[in-house]
């Protein structure tokens, strides 16, 4: 029987994930933690992952700057440090995406539950008030999700540029290669600056959303 369930899950991963999520939410609700509370927690987690990514991308940029300003020593060490920063940056970016996915999952579950519960309200006034609150919350959430997904996508070109430069340096590990990377550094610096601004905007928007849903 267990094997049958396992194979059914393989054929319908999204359906099984939804069932797992619902069981998870149900368990917490039995402990007095509602989907609304889980959503707030996950938005906060997404904020934390973006803050961590900010620091990591800034650190990678500093390492790139050290490469551009290389003035003797072991270039192999500088390359190794930059390569390590790239890998950690990839991990940070993946964490941001995963946290946003978790926000989206619980938000969708919350809104479905909210709508179903509204249908159970017999009072016209109370139903109208709840519908208005749901619509407002969904609007703010949609705006927040767009902002967070924009941050997620903005990390890709920075990672690609960093990887291109790490690989180019690996294939030509000498001081003469550094001059060719200076123009790339200016572009990456600009992209990281824009990314950090977008992250700050998404983090601030997350704060506003949390306040509104708690209110």
């Amino acid at each position: 029987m267990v094997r049958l369930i396992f194979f059914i899950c393989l054929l319908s991963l999204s359906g099984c994930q939804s069932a797992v999520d619902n069981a998870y939410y149900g368990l917490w609700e039995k402990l007095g933690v509602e989907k609304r509370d889980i959503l707030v927690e996950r938005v906060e987690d997404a904020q934390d992952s973006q803050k961590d990514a900010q620091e990591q991308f800034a650190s990678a940029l500093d390492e790139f700057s050290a490469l551009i300003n290389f003035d003797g020593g072991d270039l192999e060490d500088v390359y190794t440090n930059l390569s390590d920063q790239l890998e950690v940056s990839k991990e940070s970016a993946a964490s941001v995406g995963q946290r946003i996915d978790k926000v989206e999952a619980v938000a969708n579950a919350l809104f479905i539950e909210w709508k179903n519960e509204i249908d159970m309200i017999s009072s016209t006034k109370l139903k109208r008030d709840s519908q208005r609150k749901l619509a407002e919350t969904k609007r703010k959430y949609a705006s927040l999700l767009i902002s967070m997904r924009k941050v997620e996508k903005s990390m890709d070109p920075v990672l690609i540029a960093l990887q291109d430069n790490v690989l180019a340096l690996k294939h030509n590990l000498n001081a003469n290669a550094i001059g060719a990377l200076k123009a790339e550094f200016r572009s990456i610096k600009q992209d990281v600056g824009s990314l950090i601004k977008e992250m700050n905007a998404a983090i601030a928007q997350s704060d506003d959303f949390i306040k509104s849903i708690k209110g």
Side-chain angles (χ1 to χ4, degrees), residues 53 56-65 67-68 79 81-91 93 154-170 181 184-189 191-192 195:
Q56 177 51 42
F57 277 95
S59 179
L61 186 64
D62 287 342
E63 200 61 51
F64 201 157
S65 177
L67 169 65
I68 296 303
Y79 158 75
N81 291 337
L82 182 59
S83 180
D84 290 344
Q85 289 289 340
L86 170 63
E87 293 308 311
V88 178
S89 296
K90 287 181 179 179
E91 293 172 3
S154 294
M155 290 186 289
D156 289 339
V158 178
L159 290 173
I160 291 171
L162 284 173
Q163 179 170 277
D164 286 349
N165 284 274
V166 167
L167 293 176
L169 183 63
K170 178 182 179 181
L181 302 180
E184 295 289 332
F185 172 74
R186 287 192 291 271
S187 177
I188 292 175
K189 183 178 181 180
D191 287 344
V192 170
L195 174 61

Side-chain angles (χ1 to χ4, degrees), residues 85-131:
Q85 289 289 340
L86 170 63
E87 293 308 311
V88 178
S89 296
K90 287 181 179 179
E91 293 172 3
S92 293
S95 177
V96 170
Q98 291 165 3
R99 294 281 179 86
I100 297 172
D101 289 343
K102 287 182 176 292
V103 168
E104 193 167 7
V106 70
N108 291 338
L110 170 63
F111 295 145
I112 290 172
E113 177 185 76
W114 198 336
K115 182 180 181 303
N116 290 338
E117 289 174 346
I118 287 175
D119 293 339
M120 298 169 61
I121 298 176
S122 58
S123 168
T124 301
K125 180 181 183 303
L126 293 178
K127 177 175 289 192
R128 189 186 307 115
D129 291 342
S130 190
Q131 287 172 332

Side-chain angles (χ1 to χ4, degrees), residues 1 9 20 37 53 70 78 89 94 109 121 126 141-142 168 171 191 201 203 210-211:
M1 183 64 181
C9 284
V20 170
D37 303 316
F70 179 74
V78 179
S89 296
I121 298 176
L126 293 178
Y141 165 74
H171 299 153
D191 287 344
I203 290 169
I210 291 171
K211 289 178 182 176

Side-chain angles (χ1 to χ4, degrees), residues 54 151 190-203:
Q54 278 184 328
V151 166
Q190 183 176 358
D191 287 344
V192 170
S194 298
L195 174 61
I196 289 176
K197 288 181 180 178
E198 289 175 1
M199 285 180 171
N200 284 333
I203 290 169

